[in-house]
Amino acid sequence: MSDSAATSPSALQEVRVGAQSLERFRGVLPEERVDEGLRIAEAARERLAGRVVWNVNSTAVGGGVAEMLRPLLAYTRGAGINTRWLVIRGDDEFFRITKRLHHALHGSTGDGSPLGAAERDHYEAVLTENARELAAVLSPDDVVLLHDPQTAGLASHVARAGAKVIWRCHIGHDSPGAEVDHGWSFLAPYLESVPVFVFSRRAYVPGFCDHGRSVVIPPSIDPFSPKNQELDPDTVRSILVHVGLVEGPPPDVPPTFERTDGSPGRVGRLADVLRLGRAPTWETPLVVQVSRWDDLKDPIGVLDGFAAIVDGRAPQDAELVLAGPNVHAVADDPEGARVFDDVVAAWRALPHAVRNRIHLASLPTADVDENAAIVNALQRHATVVVQKSLHEGFGLTVTEAMWKGRAVLASSVGGIQDQIQDGVHGLLLKDPRDRTEFSTALLRVLEEPALASRLGEAARERVREEFLGFRHLTEYARLIEAIDRGDYALPEETP
Ligand code: UDP
């Protein structure tokens, strides 16, 4: 096992995480809540003395899981708990199979390839290799959180080493179906030795999981990360002008932010933007969707829905920014480039007068903190943040926008339903495929600034209450305490 995610020739890679004090939350949460959380953290520290809490996932950067792990682990370490983060290694075929599984658990067929014996053999071979190294560093009393289908095959190895295993699944589908069952039947044998499962929603717990041993812990965001930290309007403008998403000149402040490790950062790279003519002015109301280039995020639906209001009654000055990571930089998402090409083709097919109000932005990803600061500025500047997903595990982009007090218009799917109560913390689309419903709601929120600001204010409070990392950590602490008490023993282990 190596210390660096970049250079290891061996299977497991360790991601180094800093330490951060939970005291920081005094700035955003009521005193009594912070005090209670600190008491829970102190009890956890005493109980976990001499033990390690391992997190194992499949990527150190990119995607919601890595985004959450970094701050959560930093706070845990800051609380004096020895938490460590390992990333498994797999080849292209392994990640193709796990992407296929990911699609299945979302109810879609993905590339339509089989999940049969050959795929099982390959999946197991890769994870056995990773498990050998993992077993070598585990102590019997350690706690191991395995994240998502990519790591499920490690569970029996971890259990054999005597450590306490938790399988944390971040994805799922609201209703069962043949494809979802197909994915779960591939995974089920690997989960037999797991005493406790964590899901993001109750509806995601598959039929074969003992509901008594399945805990629901919704995801969270970190209010202090480069993605979510406060940025004053001049800095937002400076960042957006610098990257080319808003027309200049920039204000007289630098495009700076605070990095994850607390050091100062500066946005230096540019966004790769496909547009006709000029960038939007600072005053132009922006409709924004930030997502990976993935059909399930329905970028073409957003494009067409926006085009429909431009054709019709749209407030004359609104423009759309569809932003996502630079596809050429995301080696582990084989479908991103194809989806982006489809979006470009759909954009080119629009009439000139519509196209010149739609901007397709590929954001630089070489520096994760810089990418996050750009997303932060874009979300803060948006008049409306949309997330027109066809399916969604949880939808961190929704949480991020809500925390920034934005009016959010999002599909009523997956975890988005747990975040937004329609008309209170945002607007929900009943049918994510209905573009007329989307256009109508978009027009409404653009035309009613008072509605937008009421939704935005309620959204921020909702996130403060429910979806900050502080709540997430206390739930984990309680779960580990319950595991130590023996609340989640496998049936054969029960005395
Ligand atoms: N994201 C990002 N840069 C991008 C596009 C997305 O940092 O160019 C982030 C986004 O801000 C969010 C995460 O990727 O934190 C996506 O999580 P979400 O739950 O919305 O969807 P997922 O990609 O996990 O399906």
Side-chain angles (χ1 to χ4, degrees):
M1 189 173 53
S2 94
D3 279 329
S4 145
T7 57
S8 170
S10 58
L12 284 176
Q13 302 168 338
E14 178 151 14
V15 184
R16 290 185 189 213
V17 184
Q20 191 58 257
S21 170
L22 284 164
E23 291 282 348
R24 281 183 123 171
F25 279 89
R26 292 205 188 278
V28 294
L29 289 176
E31 288 291 309
E32 59 279 10
R33 228 176 124 186
V34 178
D35 290 342
E36 191 206 350
L38 290 174
R39 278 195 296 277
I40 292 170
E42 176 56 19
R45 188 185 66 75
E46 283 171 17
R47 210 179 37 261
L48 289 164
R51 301 159 70 187
V52 181
V53 179
W54 302 90
N55 279 266
V56 187
N57 83 324
S58 59
T59 177
V61 287
V65 179
E67 174 94 13
M68 273 188 291
L69 282 182
R70 203 171 297 277
L72 289 180
L73 268 58
Y75 291 122
T76 315
R77 292 181 70 83
I81 295 165
N82 189 2
T83 323
R84 294 171 70 178
W85 178 1
L86 302 176
V87 173
I88 58 164
R89 190 124 102 168
D91 56 10
D92 290 350
E93 177 61 5
F94 176 82
F95 288 116
R96 192 195 61 72
I97 295 166
T98 56
K99 181 87 186 176
R100 172 73 183 86
L101 260 176
H102 181 97
H103 276 294
L105 297 190
H106 275 299
S108 73
T109 49
D111 65 7
S113 58
L115 286 169
E119 288 71 28
R120 208 175 266 296
D121 285 349
H122 194 80
Y123 176 84
E124 289 175 12
V126 167
L127 289 178
T128 302
E129 184 65 23
N130 283 277
R132 224 190 311 278
E133 292 194 21
L134 180 57
V137 295
L138 291 183
S139 298
D141 232 11
D142 288 353
V143 178
V144 183
L145 275 124
L146 301 174
H147 294 266
D148 278 339
Q150 294 93 328
T151 64
L154 294 172
S156 60
H157 302 272
V158 173
R160 261 199 306 280
K164 299 184 165 156
V165 52
I166 301 170
W167 187 61
R168 202 307 179 211
C169 186
H170 296 266
I171 56 177
H173 194 266
D174 295 334
S175 46
E179 204 44 47
V180 179
D181 290 348
H182 190 41
W184 283 121
S185 56
F186 184 94
L187 285 172
Y190 306 114
L191 299 173
E192 281 168 9
S193 45
V194 175
V196 59
F197 307 95
V198 179
F199 292 92
S200 298
R201 315 192 68 211
R202 181 59 60 192
Y204 292 172
V205 182
F208 69 88
C209 278
D210 177 346
H211 278 242
R213 291 191 287 113
S214 301
V215 176
V216 175
I217 301 182
S220 62
I221 60 165
D222 180 34
F224 308 104
S225 68
K227 178 74 57 68
N228 299 307
Q229 66 193 222
E230 291 299 325
L231 295 174
D232 62 66
D234 279 349
T235 305
V236 168
R237 183 169 180 176
S238 180
I239 290 174
L240 295 178
V241 170
H242 177 82
V243 300
L245 285 171
V246 161
E247 198 171 62
D252 199 15
V253 302
T256 49
F257 61 94
E258 186 183 313
R259 289 189 171 279
T260 306
D261 66 7
S263 66
R266 186 182 180 106
V267 173
R269 293 176 180 79
L270 306 181
D272 184 353
V273 190
L274 189 60
R275 66 160 64 96
L276 284 182
R278 305 161 79 127
T281 66
W282 176 246
E283 289 74 27
T284 306
L286 287 190
V287 177
V288 170
Q289 177 163 298
V290 180
S291 278
R292 289 178 299 102
W293 302 102
D294 185 323
D295 288 330
L296 293 180
K297 312 289 183 184
D298 198 19
I300 295 179
V302 176
L303 198 97
D304 285 348
F306 182 79
I309 64 169
V310 175
D311 271 348
R313 301 169 293 140
Q316 279 314 300
D317 50 352
E319 302 194 14
L320 169 68
V321 176
L322 278 179
N326 178 351
V327 287
H328 305 295
V330 187
D332 66 344
D333 190 352
E335 292 168 6
R338 196 265 304 153
V339 174
F340 183 71
D341 289 347
D342 290 350
V343 176
V344 173
W347 177 79
R348 287 199 194 286
L350 293 170
H352 193 285
V354 178
R355 221 184 320 154
N356 70 5
R357 289 167 62 177
I358 300 178
H359 312 260
L360 305 182
S362 297
L363 307 181
T365 53
D367 175 337
V368 182
D369 284 349
E370 178 191 59
N371 177 275
I374 299 168
V375 170
N376 187 345
L378 190 55
Q379 289 169 329
R380 281 184 193 281
H381 184 49
T383 301
V384 186
V385 169
V386 298
Q387 191 60 56
K388 199 187 163 304
S389 303
L390 304 178
H391 295 287
E392 194 61 74
F394 183 70
L396 282 175
T397 51
V398 169
T399 334
E400 291 158 4
M402 289 171 72
W403 176 244
K404 290 159 190 134
R406 300 297 83 204
V408 178
L409 170 59
S411 304
S412 183
V413 295
I416 294 175
Q417 303 163 89
D418 302 327
Q419 301 187 57
I420 294 177
Q421 189 186 339
D422 186 30
V424 179
H425 319 104
L427 297 181
L428 288 181
L429 299 164
K430 284 188 196 61
D431 177 358
R433 291 182 191 271
D434 183 342
R435 291 180 188 176
T436 309
E437 187 190 358
F438 174 70
S439 304
T440 309
L442 183 57
L443 197 57
R444 182 176 166 220
V445 75
L446 281 170
E447 284 179 335
E448 291 182 41
L451 170 69
S453 93
R454 173 172 65 75
L455 296 174
E457 277 168 36
R460 182 168 168 94
E461 290 316 305
R462 172 98 178 123
V463 175
R464 193 194 305 278
E465 275 297 307
E466 300 287 341
F467 301 117
L468 297 184
F470 200 83
R471 182 271 307 152
H472 202 161
L473 284 170
T474 50
E475 285 187 301
Y476 270 129
R478 290 199 174 102
L479 175 64
I480 293 173
E481 188 184 342
I483 291 171
D484 282 347
R485 263 200 319 265
D487 289 4
Y488 296 108
L490 286 167
E492 63 269 27
E493 293 172 357
T494 313

